[in-house]
Amino acid sequence: RTYSDPVVLTFINSRNDWNSVAPRVKDVTPNGCAIFMHNPSNSSHGAETVSYFVAEKGRYELHGGAIFEAGSHDTSTAHQGGDGYIGDQLSFSAPFQNVPAVLHTLNTYNNADFMTSLATDINTDGFQIAQEYAETTPSSVVQETIAWIAFETGSGTSTGQKYIVGIDDNGIDNG
């Protein structure tokens, strides 16, 4: 399939190595992208199962009424683990009825240092987003593109398939 303005999200679905690793995306085009794993120490890492989700930028209503919005944001704002969080404020094109689940992934690789993304202060109107370099010390922080998708929380059926979208912030069940 060809996209006009794709947003790519990636997830690591396994844990086959003890070292931390984050999925990264680069070279996003209308026809594809490169997906790879990046770990803070830049060392080798065992094979993992990586899933991805691609959507066209915009706001959509699925069969059954579920809403999702996909977008991206270019930023050089970065957060280090343990520090106070300051991200770029983003607004949805229209408010959600309930606080949505927001998923996000870096979609560029302009800095070879370890980076991932972080979204906080999520509400029905928008959220804050930034790069996250955890407890590492990058040699520099440069502009990267962070892709994001906000899904309306709830459950239902779309084209005959059941779905559930939820959020949990108890620090135990959600990692």
Side-chain angles (χ1 to χ4, degrees):
R1 171 165 183 175
T2 300
Y3 292 86
S4 297
D5 205 354
V7 170
V8 181
L9 299 180
T10 56
F11 312 91
I12 296 177
N13 302 99
S14 57
R15 179 76 175 185
N16 298 324
D17 194 312
W18 288 102
N19 294 317
S20 295
V21 67
R24 290 290 301 262
V25 177
K26 66 179 183 175
D27 304 329
V28 177
T29 71
N31 299 310
C33 65
I35 298 172
F36 63 100
M37 295 184 306
H38 198 192
N39 69 32
S41 63
N42 289 318
S43 60
S44 63
H45 188 88
E48 302 287 358
T49 301
V50 178
S51 295
Y52 63 93
F53 183 96
V54 181
E56 195 74 57
K57 279 186 190 173
R59 188 174 180 100
Y60 303 94
E61 182 174 342
L62 301 175
H63 296 282
I67 304 290
F68 78 91
E69 186 169 334
S72 67
H73 179 67
D74 296 334
T75 185
S76 57
T77 301
H79 172 260
Q80 182 175 19
D83 289 347
Y85 182 78
I86 298 173
D88 298 344
Q89 183 66 45
L90 301 184
S91 297
F92 300 123
S93 63
F96 282 84
Q97 288 184 346
N98 299 306
V99 175
V102 177
L103 308 174
H104 45 88
T105 303
L106 289 169
N107 270 206
T108 53
Y109 188 60
N110 298 326
N111 184 345
D113 291 326
F114 176 80
M115 288 284 180
T116 187
S117 56
L118 178 65
T120 64
D121 295 332
I122 302 166
N123 60 59
T124 58
D125 296 315
F127 60 99
Q128 287 189 25
I129 199 161
Q131 297 177 60
E132 165 74 55
Y133 55 95
E135 286 73 33
T136 65
T137 304
S139 57
S140 65
V141 176
V142 299
Q143 182 170 296
E144 299 280 3
T145 299
I146 304 173
W148 56 268
I149 298 181
F151 291 95
E152 183 174 63
T153 52
S155 62
T157 303
S158 181
T159 62
Q161 299 296 312
K162 293 181 181 180
Y163 68 88
I164 184 169
V165 177
I167 53 177
D168 189 357
D169 63 359
N170 68 11
I172 298 169
D173 296 329
N174 65 340

